[in-house]
Amino acid sequence: MTTQRSDATTRTAQSTGTGAATPETAPPLGDTGGPIGTGSRGTRVLGLATLAGIALAAYLALVSSPDDESMGDVVRIIYIHVPIVVVAYVGCMITTLGSVMYLWKKSRWWDVTAAASAEIAMVTTALTLVIGMCWARPTWGVWWVWDARLTSTAMLLLLLLGYLAVRRIPATSGTRSKRAAIVGVLLLPNVIIVNRSVTWWRSLHQDTTILNTLQPKIHGDMAFALYLAIPVALLMFAWLLVHRWRLAWLEEEVLDHDLDQAITDRRAEAGFDVRPSDLRPTIADLGEASS
């Protein structure tokens, strides 16, 4: 899916309610050096590689790998559950990194990166809980218990939802980004709590499976299928992140363009001479004043 430029808004803005033509209009979309679409040749190659990896991982998980001696076919949930957890962790880490860098550099690039990564992390964290419940029912006999790992993961999901909610609060771009970044910084400490909860507190959840090199709990074809599924999931994350980042950048450009155009129209109605070069500093000043 790509987004094409359009001159319709420029032609429309050249007339006002009094019939007077504006001297100049806001700069067209895509002239800020950002992407002009959500896809590219690179993303298509990455998408095809992801699909091929998913197909291979699915074959190994469902056909090639053996059943577990105690859990039987239920163990196959691990080939989805663990990679999704890894993606959720990575998404939260990138959001925290982007939030810290935005607070330091006031960089729009980092702000958009943090927001795009947070959306993917929110979805994968929710999937982590759902898939975990599907695994808990046949192994623990219940869908949900207030276990340390499950409870801390639920808290992580609420924090991600809070981060995304803060980004929807009406405010100037700089104020909104600053508020969200403060919440985003809290994600990484919560990820550490989730990861270490089994060790720090008594928990029904099993201990580390894939990172326990001294006493590994998975071997042979099962280990190979799981270790392949994790990088495939990360490939999928990278593909989703690139597309969501491009879409978020374009959304920001549309908002800036609409605001520029509105200011142009109002100044033209008031009889002021408007130049496009006057508009961008005005928007930048708003962002600086909010921060």
Side-chain angles (χ1 to χ4, degrees):
M1 178 181 68
T2 59
T3 302
Q4 297 179 346
R5 305 179 191 179
S6 172
D7 294 329
T9 55
T10 302
R11 292 194 298 269
T12 301
Q14 287 177 345
S15 62
T16 64
T18 59
T22 59
E24 293 185 52
T25 59
L29 294 175
D31 285 0
T32 59
I36 60 173
T38 60
S40 65
R41 180 178 299 177
T43 59
R44 286 189 288 271
V45 172
L46 184 59
L48 290 174
T50 301
L51 286 175
I54 290 174
L56 178 59
Y59 171 79
L60 293 175
L62 300 177
V63 179
S64 178
S65 65
D67 300 341
D68 185 72
E69 294 180 358
S70 59
M71 290 187 289
D73 281 331
V74 175
V75 75
R76 301 186 189 280
I77 298 178
I78 196 175
Y79 304 119
I80 302 175
H81 185 59
V82 173
I84 290 295
V85 171
V86 172
V87 170
Y89 284 177
V90 172
C92 290
M93 292 175 186
I94 292 178
T95 299
T96 294
L97 175 61
S99 298
V100 171
M101 294 302 296
Y102 176 79
L103 292 173
W104 179 28
K105 298 289 188 180
K106 295 296 186 292
S107 168
R108 179 184 175 191
W109 190 94
W110 281 110
D111 179 50
V112 174
T113 300
S117 184
E119 289 194 8
I120 302 172
M122 184 272 293
V123 173
T124 50
T125 301
L127 286 174
T128 296
L129 289 173
V130 172
I131 297 171
M133 291 167 63
C134 293
W135 198 354
R137 184 65 179 87
T139 54
W140 297 346
V142 292
W143 292 100
W144 180 269
V145 292
W146 292 104
D147 175 80
R149 173 63 61 84
L150 275 65
T151 304
S152 57
T153 303
M155 292 175 59
L156 179 62
L157 177 60
L158 292 176
L159 189 59
L160 285 164
L161 291 172
Y163 173 89
L164 296 175
V166 168
R167 298 195 68 89
R168 299 299 186 272
I169 297 176
T172 60
S173 176
T175 300
R176 183 184 67 244
S177 299
K178 183 178 180 180
R179 292 171 179 171
I182 293 173
V183 179
V185 171
L186 303 176
L187 288 172
L188 181 57
N190 204 311
V191 167
I192 296 174
I193 292 173
V194 172
N195 182 259
R196 304 305 300 168
S197 59
V198 176
T199 303
W200 291 346
W201 297 287
R202 295 179 60 183
S203 174
L204 290 175
H205 197 283
Q206 68 185 64
D207 202 353
T208 303
T209 299
I210 63 174
L211 298 180
N212 192 339
T213 56
L214 297 179
Q215 294 179 341
K217 299 179 181 179
I218 188 169
H219 307 273
D221 292 342
M222 296 175 65
F224 181 76
L226 181 58
Y227 290 141
L228 176 67
I230 293 173
V232 169
L234 292 174
L235 273 180
M236 181 187 68
F237 170 77
W239 181 80
L240 290 172
L241 182 62
V242 170
H243 278 276
R244 188 62 189 94
W245 187 95
R246 286 170 170 261
L247 181 58
W249 185 277
L250 292 172
E251 288 173 345
E252 292 284 339
E253 280 200 345
V254 168
L255 291 175
D256 287 348
H257 183 273
D258 290 346
L259 182 57
D260 287 352
Q261 194 63 61
I263 295 174
T264 302
D265 294 343
R266 299 297 79 78
R267 288 184 174 181
E269 291 176 358
F272 292 104
D273 185 19
V274 182
R275 297 185 304 275
S277 58
D278 296 334
L279 299 174
R280 289 296 172 183
T282 301
I283 306 304
D285 291 343
L286 289 175
E288 292 176 1
S290 64
S291 60

